[in-house]
């Protein structure tokens, strides 16, 4: 796969280096159908699912889709240009659960650790010229040296880490996960997927596909009971200082984090159809989109706990949750986005992929797979579909 990445990016299978991978690309599509692509090396090298650029055109919220991941914010120096700026990582501490939030998903106050400032060009040069051993010393047994920091890497590996002298900037932007952990950031989140914004209420929403492993190991800052169905967290935004007392140049920084009660999944014993999560609640949320004019959060699932994954609509005013679309058995909901007004109408776009791909027992499994094959092709090469819900009057 890495050789394919190298070939697609550089034209040959053996050109790419590991530090070329894991950065944010930006695609510009021009009105005439032509386009261009640019990669930003200064936003941190993490396992991001998605980024969300906020209304100041300089603050970027970033998810980390892995086990033992974190929350990251990038603040550009100049609005509209992501080629230079400052990277921050979140440090969570237990907070008070707000009214209407689920105690089972916890509540956390957020402090921000400044990882560093850089331009894309200088980090790209480092990615071209440095290897891991130039930047960081990683030991897998205790070196009995106070210069090393003990971290949990990837949720299953204990490492002792020391940054090489003068390599702090390289570590911040090329070894972001390890460097954030060394500085005390909370690297315990599991499967941080979509991120979106309710601009009217100054609230971000993060999809945590599953609460498990480093979120439920009763160690560190996050000590929750396991919930394999996951949750969606709401994060109020505002102005903040970093942990060294310096003002962050943004009014859109997450300040705390908790999960609305309606947006927490509920595992259960397998029902007659093989569902292992309550079908009237979300399970394993993935992609998110927000409609400002409807005041509604839209949620797409990628779950092995619901036989049929769904797209949901959550009204942030009355806290109601409605299932508005289901997809074929085993398929994942993808490509979720809302257009509030196009020629007087609103549209909810949603796609699905890999129908027939499930890993749990259903009493009707054989007939279901036969039906999926009939409608969507052989399961190894199943088709996908792109579509939208139309006919919604614009509320703009």
């Amino acid at each position: 796969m890495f050789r394919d990445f190298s070939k697609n990016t550089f034209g040959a299978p053996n050109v790419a280096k590991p530090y070329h991978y894991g950065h944010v690309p930006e695609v510009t599509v021009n009105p005439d159908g032509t386009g261009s692509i640019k990669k930003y090396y200064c936003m941190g090298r993490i396992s991001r699912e998605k980024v969300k650029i906020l209304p100041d055109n300089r603050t970027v919220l970033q998810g980390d889709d892995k086990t033992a991941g974190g929350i990251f914010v990038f603040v550009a120096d100049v609005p509209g240009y992501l080629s230079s700026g400052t990277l921050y990582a979140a440090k969570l501490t237990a907070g008070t659960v707000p009214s209407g939030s689920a105690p089972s998903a916890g509540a956390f106050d957020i402090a921000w650790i400044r990882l560093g400032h850089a331009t894309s060009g200088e980090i790209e040069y480092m990615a071209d010229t440095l290897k891991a051993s130039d930047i960081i010393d990683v030991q897998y047994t205790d070196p009995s040296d106070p210069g090393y920091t003990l971290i949990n890497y990837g949720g299953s590996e204990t490492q002792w880490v020391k940054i090489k002298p003068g390599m702090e900037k390289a570590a911040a932007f090329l070894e972001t996960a390890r460097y954030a952990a060394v500085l005390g950031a909370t690297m315990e989140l599991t499967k941080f997927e979509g991120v979106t914004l309710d601009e009217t209420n100054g609230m971000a929403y993060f999809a945590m596909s599953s609460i498990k492993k480093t979120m439920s190991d009763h160690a560190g800052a996050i000590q929750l009971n396991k919930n394999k169905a996951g949750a969606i967290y709401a994060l109020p935004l505002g102005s903040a200082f970093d942990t060294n007392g310096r003002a962050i140049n943004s009014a859109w920084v997450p300040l705390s984090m908790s999960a609305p009660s309606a947006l927490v999944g509920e595992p259960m014993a397998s029902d007659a159809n093989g569902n292992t999560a309550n079908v009237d609640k979300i399970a394993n949320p993935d992609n998110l989109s927000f409609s400002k004019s409807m005041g509604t959060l839209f949620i797409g699932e990628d779950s092995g706990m619901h036989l049929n994954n769904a797209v949901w609509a959550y009204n942030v005013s009355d806290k109601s949750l409605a299932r508005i679309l289901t997809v074929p058995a085993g398929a994942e909901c993808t490509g979720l986005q809302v257009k509030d007004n196009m020629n007087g109408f609103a549209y909810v776009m949603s796609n699905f992929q890999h129908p027939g791909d499930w890993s749990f027992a259903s009493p009707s499994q054989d007939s279901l797979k036969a039906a999926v094959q009939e409608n969507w092709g052989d399961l190894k090469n199943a088709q996908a579909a792109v579509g939208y819900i139309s006919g919604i009057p614009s509320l703009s």
Side-chain angles (χ1 to χ4, degrees):
M1 291 174 66
F2 190 76
R3 286 193 290 271
D4 287 342
F5 161 74
S6 180
K7 185 176 180 180
N8 292 334
T9 305
F10 297 103
N14 298 313
V15 177
K17 298 181 178 181
Y19 286 146
H20 290 140
Y21 187 85
H23 305 280
V24 173
E26 180 181 45
V27 179
T28 300
V29 181
N30 302 315
D32 64 359
T34 62
S36 60
I37 188 165
K38 182 177 183 179
K39 184 178 285 189
Y40 294 106
Y41 286 82
C42 55
M43 298 175 69
R45 183 173 168 268
I46 59 174
S47 301
R48 57 179 63 75
E49 166 86 0
K50 184 182 178 181
V51 305
K52 179 65 177 178
I53 300 175
L54 300 189
D56 62 357
N57 282 325
R58 72 191 313 160
T59 306
V60 186
L61 302 182
Q62 306 188 88
D64 197 10
D65 183 8
K66 60 183 288 187
T67 299
I71 305 172
F72 298 88
V73 164
F74 176 80
V75 181
D77 293 336
V78 179
Y81 297 90
L82 302 178
S83 54
S84 66
T86 306
L87 181 64
Y88 299 89
K91 180 177 182 178
L92 306 183
T93 55
T96 302
V97 179
S99 175
S101 296
S104 62
F108 305 93
D109 297 323
I110 302 178
W112 290 97
I113 296 172
R114 185 184 189 273
L115 301 185
H117 175 277
T119 67
S120 182
E122 64 182 320
I123 303 304
E124 182 177 8
Y125 176 78
M126 292 178 182
D128 290 341
T129 57
L130 296 176
K131 55 186 182 295
S133 59
D134 297 325
I135 300 172
I136 194 166
D137 184 5
V138 180
Q139 300 292 323
Y140 300 93
T141 57
D142 188 352
S144 299
D145 182 338
Y148 288 79
T149 302
L150 173 64
I151 68 170
N152 181 325
Y153 187 73
S156 60
E157 193 171 89
T158 298
Q159 297 182 356
W160 286 263
V161 171
K162 181 168 69 174
I163 309 302
K164 297 289 183 71
M167 286 293 173
E168 289 78 12
K169 180 176 287 192
F173 294 93
L174 296 177
E175 287 286 349
T176 306
R178 288 186 174 100
Y179 189 63
V182 167
L183 294 190
T186 301
M187 301 296 291
E188 300 174 34
L189 301 174
T190 56
K191 296 295 291 176
F192 181 171
E193 304 272 358
V195 53
T196 194
L197 171 71
D198 171 4
E199 181 179 352
T200 301
N201 294 302
M203 189 78 72
Y205 289 93
F206 291 172
M208 210 65 58
S209 179
S210 189
I211 295 173
K212 61 183 181 180
K213 296 184 178 179
T214 46
M215 293 185 76
S216 61
D217 60 1
H218 299 287
I222 304 176
Q223 300 187 26
L224 303 174
N225 292 324
K226 182 185 292 186
N227 181 346
K228 292 177 65 177
I232 293 171
Y233 285 88
L235 296 90
L237 307 173
S239 300
F241 293 83
D242 68 23
T243 53
N244 288 321
R246 291 172 290 193
I248 299 173
N249 191 19
S250 171
W252 297 92
V253 179
L255 305 176
S256 63
M257 172 173 152
S258 60
S261 294
L263 299 181
V264 178
E266 183 181 300
M268 66 180 192
S270 180
D271 68 8
N273 292 313
N275 294 292
T276 55
N278 189 331
V279 295
D280 292 321
K281 296 186 177 184
I282 64 168
N284 305 126
D286 191 324
N287 36 126
L288 303 178
S289 187
F290 196 88
S291 167
K292 183 177 180 180
S293 60
M294 296 184 226
T296 297
L297 173 68
F298 292 88
I299 304 153
E301 293 180 335
D302 178 14
S303 177
M305 303 181 75
H306 282 167
L307 180 61
N308 295 94
N309 282 318
V311 174
W312 303 79
Y314 172 73
N315 185 289
V316 299
S317 295
D318 65 19
K319 316 301 183 187
S320 60
L321 182 69
R323 183 174 47 247
I324 62 172
L325 170 73
T326 55
V327 299
E332 168 192 357
C333 302
T334 65
L336 181 64
Q337 55 180 303
V338 179
K339 185 71 175 178
D340 278 346
N341 185 359
M342 180 178 285
N343 299 324
F345 290 91
Y347 296 86
V348 179
M349 292 190 65
S350 182
N351 318 327
F352 69 78
Q353 62 184 4
H354 58 72
D357 179 19
W358 65 81
S359 57
F360 55 90
S362 170
S364 54
Q365 181 163 300
D366 291 342
S367 60
L368 274 173
K369 289 200 172 183
V372 170
Q373 285 186 300
E374 181 179 351
N375 287 286
W376 301 105
D378 180 81
L379 297 187
K380 291 184 178 180
N381 300 288
Q383 299 170 6
V386 177
Y388 54 89
I389 302 173
S390 64
I392 308 169
S394 169
L395 300 178
S396 299

